[in-house]
Amino acid sequence: MQGFRTIIEPFRIKSVEPLRLTTKEEREERLRAAGYNLFALHSEDVMVDLLTDSGTGAMSAAQWAALQRGDESYAGSPSFYRFEAAVKELFELKHVIPTHQGRAAEKILFGVAAGPGKIVPNNTHFDTTRANVEATGAKAVDLVIAEGKQPSARHPFKGNMDLARLERVLSDEGRERVPLVMVTVTNNSGGGQPVSLENLRGVREICDRHDVPLFLDACRFAENAWFIHEREPAEAGRPVKDIVREMGRLVDGMTMSAKKDGLANIGGWLALDDDAWAERARNVLILTEGFPTYGGLAGRDLDAIAQGLTEVVRHDYLRYRIRSTQYLGEAIAKLGVPIVEPVGGHAVYLDARAMLPHVPPLAYPGQAIATALYLEGGVRGCEIGTVMFGLAPDGSESPAAMDLVRLAIPRRTYTQSHIDFVVEVVERVAAGASELRGLRIVEQPAALRHFSAKFEPLS
Ligand SMILES: *Cc1c(COP(=O)(O)O)cnc(C)c1O
């Protein structure tokens, strides 16, 4: 539907899930009962849930049909072979090892490859990836280009790896200390920003010179390939599937969460070429996830993923997906509300610190905006700022680099009118911003406090 102003969703709705419409009084009470922590809400009390795009998407009719085809044999299920073939259709890697989600693949990979004294470079480690690297005693280093760390810097591929810094790390440390290099597509922790094919080829070339394997954190591989299709002049017009296959040929392995571009509600995999690592990975898999032909998933889940992988590389789907995320970002920016630019693939990030200059970071401006969005219109986003990153292991507190609120868009789940409603809610919250106060924490655990801390609004 190019040439038209209106983005139409490239699907129609066969089965509906009612949204419970709530009143402001009701939301006030729920929010208080949840200690002003949106993770503590019952999702039935949320009207538009933009907490995450992970596993929250809608499956297609073909995926629901695939669930019925699922074969629950313990070993050698045809569902596994369909899953394996679907992965290999996109990524030509020798061993495909299913896991229950992405972090399980990470835990197994780094258990096999990393360890004390090792260093793993990435453009930006996602939080579970960093935690799994560090849990083995290794060091996780982020080498994204400088533009990738500036919210308002405009660059078509803000997720790119800084090749000069990567070269330096590999020259200084060598293959003895660097077991593998990883590239995250799209760069989730950096705002869902893409990596260019040219940059990935550059990383490959450096890895080859130092004889170090290259892995993808591939969670949003299709969204990344769409950005390449749209923004990389040398790749203009090239089919996304073809771009994905080249991304696959450039790497020696990958970890994947099928809850993102697998278009499924659960699942993931580790895929790699190296026989020795694969054997060790399968041995761990049997201990922690399950037999290598199901890896912690039901056969039906494997079939849903196999079908999802054929749908996610379709241009009509990806054009709608990326365009509809941009639609939300553009509408919010037009209100004069500061956001991270350019808009990434799966989410829009509000710059809460800039929206609330009168609220200091240690009074959690991100949490103030996130709770206000819920109160105003039942919209649930996610604070990504000082609540999430401000508490050091020694108990001291300092402001995070940014105070953002992420509005993540579940795949194929909300229509344009839901999104228009979200824009209206953001508009109202922004209009009342000068009245908003920060919060203080009244109860928190020692680590990962954003999930369970309790707050109180400052008077
Ligand atoms: C979601 C995600 C993961 C972890 O996957 P889970 O399925 O949530 O365990 C790893 N890396 C990135 C970039 C992700 O977005």
Side-chain angles (χ1 to χ4, degrees):
M1 294 299 288
Q2 282 163 304
F4 284 88
R5 218 173 30 251
T6 309
I7 336 161
I8 67 162
E9 289 84 4
F11 49 81
R12 54 184 182 177
I13 295 165
K14 175 182 300 225
S15 170
V16 299
E17 220 179 344
L19 284 185
R20 206 172 69 77
L21 302 181
T22 53
T23 62
K24 195 164 184 180
E25 292 66 45
E26 215 176 323
R27 292 193 294 272
E28 231 155 32
E29 196 230 298
R30 298 299 147 99
L31 194 58
R32 202 174 317 117
Y36 295 84
N37 187 329
L38 302 179
F39 283 99
L41 290 171
H42 291 207
S43 62
E44 287 183 333
D45 298 327
V46 175
M47 292 200 288
V48 182
D49 202 348
L50 308 182
L51 185 66
T52 172
D53 66 322
S54 178
T56 51
M59 291 205 294
S60 66
Q63 283 180 292
W64 285 104
L67 289 183
Q68 285 292 334
R69 209 160 54 227
D71 178 300
E72 304 305 339
S73 302
Y74 188 93
S77 159
S79 297
F80 169 74
Y81 292 105
R82 286 191 284 267
F83 160 81
E84 183 189 43
V87 173
K88 288 190 174 187
E89 173 69 19
L90 297 174
F91 303 97
E92 292 165 31
L93 293 161
K94 191 166 170 195
H95 305 280
V96 179
I97 300 171
T99 58
H100 82 277
Q101 59 183 85
R103 67 197 68 185
E106 293 168 350
K107 172 131 177 49
I108 292 170
L109 173 65
F110 295 119
V112 166
K118 305 276 187 189
I119 296 172
V120 179
N122 199 324
N123 45 353
T124 309
H125 288 83
F126 180 66
D127 53 12
T128 61
T129 321
R130 170 174 289 276
N132 274 307
V133 168
E134 291 172 348
T136 72
K139 194 172 147 199
V141 297
D142 293 341
L143 302 176
V144 72
I145 57 170
E147 291 89 337
K149 286 181 282 194
Q150 298 152 8
S152 58
R154 287 199 160 265
H155 184 289
F157 294 101
K158 278 173 96 167
N160 278 355
M161 183 81 93
D162 185 329
L163 298 181
R165 289 174 68 204
L166 178 65
E167 174 66 46
R168 214 168 316 131
V169 170
L170 288 177
S171 306
D172 291 352
E173 307 293 348
R175 54 172 300 198
E176 285 66 41
R177 293 197 67 196
V178 183
L180 60 92
V181 170
M182 203 163 211
V183 175
T184 304
V185 294
T186 57
N187 192 21
N188 186 4
S189 302
Q193 302 291 333
V195 175
S196 71
L197 202 50
E198 185 189 20
N199 186 254
L200 194 60
R201 290 188 193 116
V203 175
R204 171 79 265 171
E205 194 267 319
I206 293 171
C207 288
D208 278 345
R209 221 155 1 83
H210 293 275
D211 196 22
V212 171
L214 171 58
F215 275 64
L216 277 183
D217 179 342
C219 297
R220 297 177 182 79
F221 69 86
E223 293 175 8
N224 196 87
W226 180 257
F227 282 115
I228 289 172
H229 168 93
E230 291 285 283
R231 294 184 184 170
E232 194 162 346
E235 312 301 330
R238 188 171 168 194
V240 160
K241 189 169 165 186
D242 206 41
I243 294 172
V244 171
R245 290 171 61 91
E246 178 168 347
M247 288 162 64
R249 281 194 301 273
L250 285 170
V251 298
D252 304 289
M254 66 192 292
T255 56
M256 174 70 189
S257 169
K259 302 173 74 169
K260 283 64 171 267
D261 276 352
L263 297 182
N265 301 120
I266 195 71
W269 69 83
L270 166 65
L272 69 175
D273 279 333
D274 189 273
D275 295 331
W277 279 8
E279 187 185 333
R280 287 169 59 200
R282 287 200 177 98
N283 289 337
V284 182
L285 186 85
I286 290 173
L287 281 179
T288 59
E289 294 280 292
F291 191 73
T293 61
Y294 72 86
L297 294 167
R300 64 181 81 100
D301 299 324
L302 293 167
D303 265 306
I305 297 167
Q307 175 60 29
L309 290 177
T310 69
E311 297 174 10
V312 78
V313 290
R314 288 184 195 158
H315 287 199
D316 55 357
Y317 163 72
L318 284 167
R319 182 177 293 115
Y320 143 80
R321 167 74 177 155
I322 301 302
R323 183 67 199 109
S324 58
T325 304
Q326 282 166 348
Y327 175 87
L328 175 62
E330 283 165 12
I332 291 175
K334 222 160 103 191
L335 300 170
V337 174
I339 60 169
V340 176
E341 305 221 43
V343 176
H346 68 290
V348 174
Y349 296 72
L350 310 182
D351 187 346
R353 196 177 287 173
M355 288 175 80
L356 303 180
H358 57 287
V359 176
L362 293 182
Y364 316 122
Q367 193 67 15
I369 293 289
T371 49
L373 292 171
Y374 175 72
L375 203 58
E376 191 60 44
V379 174
R380 175 159 69 170
C382 183
E383 192 265 6
I384 301 204
T386 302
V387 175
M388 194 178 269
F389 301 120
L391 182 65
D394 67 3
S396 66
E397 215 189 1
S398 54
M402 298 186 270
D403 279 293
L404 305 175
V405 176
R406 183 185 69 186
L407 304 177
I409 320 289
R411 293 170 181 75
R412 307 188 291 202
T413 302
Y414 292 111
T415 64
Q416 189 170 337
S417 58
H418 291 116
I419 297 300
D420 287 336
F421 172 74
V422 171
V423 174
E424 227 182 298
V425 172
V426 171
E427 184 175 16
R428 288 198 194 188
V429 167
S434 62
E435 307 291 304
L436 284 178
R437 299 281 159 267
L439 300 98
R440 63 186 191 92
I441 291 180
V442 291
E443 207 183 300
Q444 66 179 0
L448 295 174
R449 65 176 176 180
H450 54 289
F451 290 125
S452 57
K454 287 193 163 51
F455 301 83
E456 220 172 61
L458 293 171
S459 48

